[in-house]
Amino acid sequence: MRTLCASTLIGEFFVIGFAGLVAMKDPDLAGSTVWTVSGIAMFLCLALCGVVTRPGGIALGWALQLALIVSGFVVPTMFFMGAVFAALWWASVHYGRKIDEAKARFAAQADSPTPDAA
């Protein structure tokens, strides 16, 4: 699960950076504000890569997905991109857990002794 979730978060890292560039064109927004918010969100993406398997890591990821969707009020394209990344986050968590379960079953099966064929 960690690999899939981290891949999604790294993709979000870049999308947030590009959204910051788009937000810079808005004359109502101060550049320092745009880059402070974008920088914090980008840092959170990287930090979550390391804690996604710890308690609360998935919930923090969902909070980041919600924040990405809400950022559509500043950069309208982010409504769409946020929804896409929320779907990717769901798929990463859902299928990542299935992969982890299958790996655990395979490892348990490989470790169990096999009866001797006589």
Side-chain angles (χ1 to χ4, degrees), residues 3-73:
T3 303
L4 290 174
C5 290
S7 299
T8 301
L9 291 167
I10 294 299
E12 278 185 72
F13 172 87
F14 289 107
V15 167
I16 291 168
F18 291 129
L21 291 172
V22 172
M24 286 294 296
K25 292 184 178 184
D26 189 343
D28 296 333
L29 299 174
S32 60
T33 303
V34 168
W35 288 115
T36 300
V37 172
S38 296
I40 290 170
M42 291 169 77
F43 173 77
L44 286 175
C45 286
L46 295 178
L48 275 173
C49 287
V51 298
V52 74
T53 56
R54 295 198 175 145
I58 300 299
L60 287 173
W62 279 115
L64 183 64
Q65 304 313 311
L66 180 62
L68 199 63
I69 293 170
V70 170
S71 71
F73 288 108

Side-chain angles (χ1 to χ4, degrees), residues 61-113:
W62 279 115
L64 183 64
Q65 304 313 311
L66 180 62
L68 199 63
I69 293 170
V70 170
S71 71
F73 288 108
V74 177
V75 179
T77 306
M78 293 307 290
F79 284 122
F80 173 73
M81 293 303 296
V84 167
F85 274 100
L88 285 171
W89 182 253
W90 175 85
S92 297
V93 171
H94 179 74
Y95 292 111
R97 285 183 178 153
K98 287 186 179 238
I99 290 168
D100 289 348
E101 290 169 3
K103 281 180 170 179
R105 279 194 311 269
F106 182 74
Q109 186 180 22
D111 290 341
S112 67

